[in-house]
Amino acid sequence: MRRVNRDQRTRINLTLNGRAVSADTEPRMLLSDFLRHALGATGTHVGCEHGVCGCCTVLIDGTAGRSCLTLAVQVEGRAVRTVESLASADGKLNALQQAFQNNHALQCGFCTPGILMSFTDYLAKNPKPSEAEICEVLSGHLCRCTGYAGIVAAIKEATGSK
Amino acid sequence: MKPRPFDYVCPDNVDEAVALLAAHGDAARVLAGGQSLMAILNFRLAEPEMLIDVSRLAELDTIREGDGKIEVGASVTQNKFLAWPALATKLPLLAKMLPFVGHFQTRNRGTVCGSIAHADPSSELPLALAMLGGEVVLRSKKGTRVLAAKDFQLDMLTTARESEELITAVRFPVQSEKQVAFREVARRHGDFAIIAIAVVVEEKNKFRLGVGGMTGRPTVRQFNATGDAAIRDAAVALGVELEGLEDMHASAAMRRDLLRNLAPVVVNEALQCAA
Amino acid sequence: MGDLVSKVLGTSVRRKEDPALLSGRGRYADDLPVPHGTLHAHVIRSPHAHAKILKIDVAEALTQRGVWAVITGEDVKKFSDPFLIVLKAPIHQWSLAVERVRYVGEPVALVVADDRYLAEDAAEKVQVDYEPLLAAVDPLAACKKDAPHLHAEAKSNEISVRAFSYGDVKGAFAKADAHVKLTVDYARMSFTPMECYVVVAAYDPIAGSYDVLANFQGPFSTHPVMARALRVPGTKFRVRIPPDSGGSFGIKLSVFPYMVLASIAARITGRPVKWVEDRAEHLLAASTGPNRITEIEAAVTKDGRILGLKLDQLEDYGAFLRAPMPGPLYRMHGSVTGAYDIPNVDVINRVVLTNKMPASLIRGFGGPQLYLALERLVHRIAVELKLDHLDVIKRNLIAAKSFPYKTAAGALYDSGDYQSAIEMATGDGRLADLKRRRDAARAAGRYYGIGYAAVVEPGMSNMGYLSNILTAEQREKAGPKNGAVSMVTVNVDPLGAVSVTPDVTVQGQGHETVISQIVAERLGLKVEDIDVVIELDTAKDQWSIAAGTYSCRFTPGTAVAAHMAAMQIRDKLAKIAAKQLNVLPNDIEFVDGKVRSRGNPDNAMPFGRVAGTAHWSPAMLPDGMSPSLRETGVWSPPELEPPSSDDRINTSLTYGFVFDLCGVEIDPMTYQVRVDRYVSMHDAGTLLNPMIAEGQMRGAFAQGIAAALYEEYVSDESGAFLSGSFADYLVPTVSEIPPVEFLHQETPSPFTPLGAKGLAEGNCMSVPACIANAIADALGVKDISLPASPRRIHGLLAEVEARQKGESVRAAGGAR
Ligand code: FES
Ligand code: FES
């Protein structure tokens, strides 16, 4: 039984984007804060902290979820993947990212990392989604800038249905 | 929007979890998928002294069939259940309702049991459990207790769970009826429903209708009725009886009217399903 | 312009901003490192709409772990003065409540601690004793004599009433065949950027200066307001804007009171202080668009020609008037007659304060409120006179040949051809298709309506428009205000690398790309060759009070200044090259990274060589030339004059046109409105980057849909706020945004060298009006409140059914 008391700081070990990392935290620290401020992975954004906007979406053991509704202590021993992992080391965008640029699927870009991570998970499970399926997954994200059309077009392009 | 401090405990098995609940009772909250609880904590609407994280208990991460029932463990996520291969044949109503639960991303972590434990009046899973006559398995140091859906959810966000009890599973009876339909009205895709209506056709001219969002907990009724007019009348009577909740998004009258309008539609949709 | 023929300008260059943003390498305010020892703040907010603060007990909070200070209104009073406002009225707002709270969510105290979690813990230990007072929540009730007063010294909640009269409205109403009248309500809403406010403030006690990093959007006319509040000269209030910001839509002007608050906290604690607004705070208290009640009346001929117009606009700004409010009430003043040729108009503008969150800047800025009233009225004229709605629109449009056109209230519309835009939008079978769909639906007994909206979209505000709230005499005394200065600096380094510093803040509009296009075009370089540095720093960069990103000032303003700066550099380099190539400067052209002779293209130098001359060899420069290769383009269009003595004002520099048509169907089973087809026609002058332009339009369209159908800030009668989470404040997802077809026409503005107009707000103005008109058409009802939620549609349908029942009873001849 693992127990961390409220005033206690504990070391969390996890794999972040393929690399073993660790940092100290107290039990109530949200994973979103932990990633951004303890691990410096600021690509994951925080837009609501109540699970609605999707900005904070990351992959935990390959599955997309809200990092604002997850505690840092819960990812002990797990693999977390964030938007920083998508492009190659020399900065080359992957196909999904490139499709976003091609289709003007972002403006301020604040919502974008979460959307990319959701679809990184979803497209691994369903590589050829219909437009309705794309919208179904995308409806778990809020974007205030784009009106969504570019995002749908980008995902269609990335999945070869355009 | 940062949670208040709490102790975090990740038990290795159900016995440990139950022992913790026995020791801490009301002061502890069980953390499964966290899709409701974490938001509540971030808003500081609750002040548990301890969180007992059951999300990693392998023994609760199972979907099992036995005794004509499908038992879903407390750490089974909604998406895992949705992807369960036998869902459409054994629980056709759930197959229709689960996609309406939150979003892909929240279903990835949100659990079936967690949603039922949260007992929101308009959420889909409590309604499904009530419609199918399911039950909730509760464990405490004293033993195991099984409550029928109707005895479990008492009112809005209120259940019969005792503070030292852990919901270890819920059970849905395997459905013999194949004619099912579900429909909900929500402001936005994926929002909690203003009203949710489920229908199961039991036999010719006999159907079961479940409604969420009208009162503090789901309502299920059996009807012997044929024809839109009769169904409509029955729905009107039910609406009058239930009165309906009043909130910013819908008045009670509007909820009653929605029930009246949609009940015949959902019944017809169910009838259209190949038997 | 000869060799200024466009190669990259006007094309859909992909955005330079994107790769970094797509890779998690954005640099948003909360991503940037802060100095060691930075403290974190949390704001304690009022639970009451209106109350006296009796006592704030901070003792217990101060004993909590990690707590450095709890700052209250008393401290704030010590270190700052109330914010300046546009009116001379006794309305004192500090960055924390002083003695009294006036809205739910008003900042009451600031807890400063080692981290945010601890600050929130300690906040729960602060005891505030309130004596609740009666609240004035409803704007009409707030204007009544017996209403509780928010600001006792002001003696009324209706703090400004100004009446304007242009032409002969009395005469128009006297000779009209009919009068058509309507009251229209516009609700409170926001566009809630996905990133909330972020401020990091530091204080240097030796210099007595503040340094603030914030995702502030401008206008920088607020900078003097903040500096004055902190009692320092502008140079001692340094504001730095991070290079990326997660959306704004007007909302991030209102971070400014928190910039002052964090500054005070930094001064008190002696440490840098960071505050990151959370979503609960944002929804509760950040900013809202103002709600407005408009009584509007037209004098019309029997064929629907509008002879005269009267508007009585009551706008609710909440608890305080924040600078530069009441902008929305005055920003559209010149174009209060919209796209129509109406020579006679009376306007009454009223400002009321209520016990609600203060209203402020928001995309559309007064346009949605105006056009909902005006366009609903035009529809009502058609209904009441039994005319076709589109015919009434067409009958009143400003004629294409009359541009530049002076409106009754003084706007100088630069260019347009509204008739041909409407022909285009309704052509190609679009309107016919809508009518077919409507007729089929109605034949089947369904509720289907067609809506139109014609909208003139102002771009680049005249900084003098707000002074129209003062009388001519008061303006005379205060000194005239006008203009909108844009400034951009282009710098060329010794290797010929070009960097550009514009006077905008960026929240996703693609300014970096468009500025690169402009400068690259002018200098014969590639878009990639231009580096745009968008991190406005008031201590180092050129800026004016007009700086910032708002009121669609980028294309008519900053883009022009970029063009001017590039041209200044170009002229200079041409002269340098001409001397070395032995040709005349006007024989020089800039092509493909070369500076060469037009007549003999082989006589050429690389761009970098020419630039290097200025840096390395001043002796080789033409006589008298200064060696600097840093040029600031300053753009101050002469058309933006101060208000005239008879209150006429050219409120903006450019005036685009938007014409929308749509079909909606109302589901009588679920009370939902479904947009069946939507067409939006734009004339924004020359498009600098069509892809980015359309992206802006799509974003505005989605926000228009949000305003029409989903989003509303709701307070109950006591002033309690009911829209405090994203579960109750309904931002549409992809599933709620219908498809839209955009069409474009380009009539270049003669008033800007690039011919481009503002374009990012038009659909925020047109969509609510167009959808409201379609709903009115579908249901045959007069009063439409937005957002048209199922709850409201349910009410309207009850009205419709009652009417139908009445009609059938009458038809049956019964019930007499
Ligand atoms: S920040 Fe996690 S869903 Fe919005
Ligand atoms: S691009 Fe700004 S919120 Fe989506």
Side-chain angles (χ1 to χ4, degrees), chain C residues 403-404 413-416 635 639 654 747-753 755-757:
Chain C
F403 290 96
Y413 287 0
D414 45 351
S415 62
W635 168 234
E639 289 80 10
T654 66
T747 56
S749 171
F751 297 156
T752 105
K757 306 185 181 190

Side-chain angles (χ1 to χ4, degrees), chain C residues 126-207:
Chain C
V126 174
Q127 284 288 341
V128 188
D129 293 342
Y130 296 98
E131 178 189 319
L133 302 169
L134 283 177
V137 178
D138 175 73
L140 286 174
C143 292
K144 296 220 175 92
K145 276 223 158 58
D146 57 349
H149 286 168
L150 272 87
H151 302 271
E153 289 166 58
K155 303 222 166 51
S156 168
N157 296 323
E158 196 176 9
I159 56 165
S160 163
V161 181
R162 276 278 280 143
F164 302 88
S165 189
Y166 308 100
D168 176 16
V169 174
K170 233 194 190 147
F173 273 77
K175 69 170 183 263
D177 296 325
H179 300 169
V180 178
K181 193 172 175 178
L182 191 69
T183 301
V184 174
D185 239 318
Y186 199 93
R188 297 191 140 213
M189 63 155 330
S190 167
F191 292 132
T192 63
M194 293 320 299
E195 178 198 38
C196 294
Y197 298 159
V198 180
V199 180
V200 186
Y203 178 69
D204 176 348
I206 295 165

Side-chain angles (χ1 to χ4, degrees), chain B residues 150-170:
Chain B
K150 66 175 185 346
D151 300 323
F152 177 74
Q153 183 165 348
L154 302 177
D155 203 346
M156 190 180 294
L157 311 179
T158 313
T159 70
R161 184 183 81 90
E162 298 290 341
S163 60
E164 72 276 6
E165 284 179 319
L166 175 73
I167 297 172
T168 54
V170 291

Side-chain angles (χ1 to χ4, degrees), chain B residues 41-111:
Chain B
L41 296 181
N42 290 357
F43 275 113
R44 296 197 169 215
L45 296 174
E47 194 171 9
E49 281 168 24
M50 173 183 284
L51 287 196
I52 303 169
D53 183 357
V54 300
S55 63
R56 295 176 122 178
L57 292 182
E59 56 186 306
L60 297 182
D61 192 15
T62 55
I63 302 170
R64 255 192 293 250
E65 186 175 354
D67 275 350
K69 290 174 187 158
I70 311 297
E71 183 179 290
V72 183
S75 46
V76 173
T77 65
Q78 292 146 8
N79 266 349
K80 177 171 175 167
F81 194 29
L82 190 55
W84 185 55
L87 189 71
T89 50
K90 310 228 158 161
L91 295 167
L93 182 64
L94 266 167
K96 289 224 161 125
M97 292 175 73
L98 265 174
F100 287 88
V101 179
H103 297 278
F104 166 73
Q105 299 82 353
T106 60
R107 288 194 301 270
N108 266 342
R109 293 183 61 78
T111 61

Side-chain angles (χ1 to χ4, degrees), chain A residues 1-7 26-28 30 33 48-52 57 60-61 63-66 68-71 73-78 118 121-122 125 135-142, chain B residues 1-12 16-17 20 24 31-36 38-39 42-44 48-51 53 55-56 99 102-109 188-190:
Chain A
M1 176 156 65
R2 189 160 65 98
R3 176 171 183 146
V4 190
N5 290 341
R6 59 185 63 199
D7 295 331
E26 53 175 330
R28 60 167 159 169
L30 302 178
D33 285 340
C48 73
E49 291 180 306
H50 55 285
V52 183
T57 305
I60 301 173
D61 287 346
T63 299
R66 313 289 206 214
C68 73
L69 299 184
T70 307
L71 296 169
V73 285
Q74 291 185 284
V75 299
E76 169 66 35
R78 303 207 170 207
S118 270
D121 173 12
Y122 184 74
K125 292 167 182 155
C135 289
E136 161 68 30
V137 176
L138 185 55
S139 73
H141 293 271
L142 300 180
Chain B
M1 294 185 67
K2 309 296 181 192
R4 294 185 179 119
F6 47 75
D7 298 340
Y8 170 84
V9 192
C10 192
D12 293 328
E16 280 183 6
L20 285 163
H24 298 277
L31 174 65
Q35 301 302 290
S36 307
M38 284 305 303
N42 290 357
F43 275 113
R44 296 197 169 215
E49 281 168 24
M50 173 183 284
L51 287 196
D53 183 357
S55 63
R56 295 176 122 178
H103 297 278
F104 166 73
Q105 299 82 353
T106 60
R107 288 194 301 270
N108 266 342
R109 293 183 61 78
R188 284 175 309 186
H189 187 85

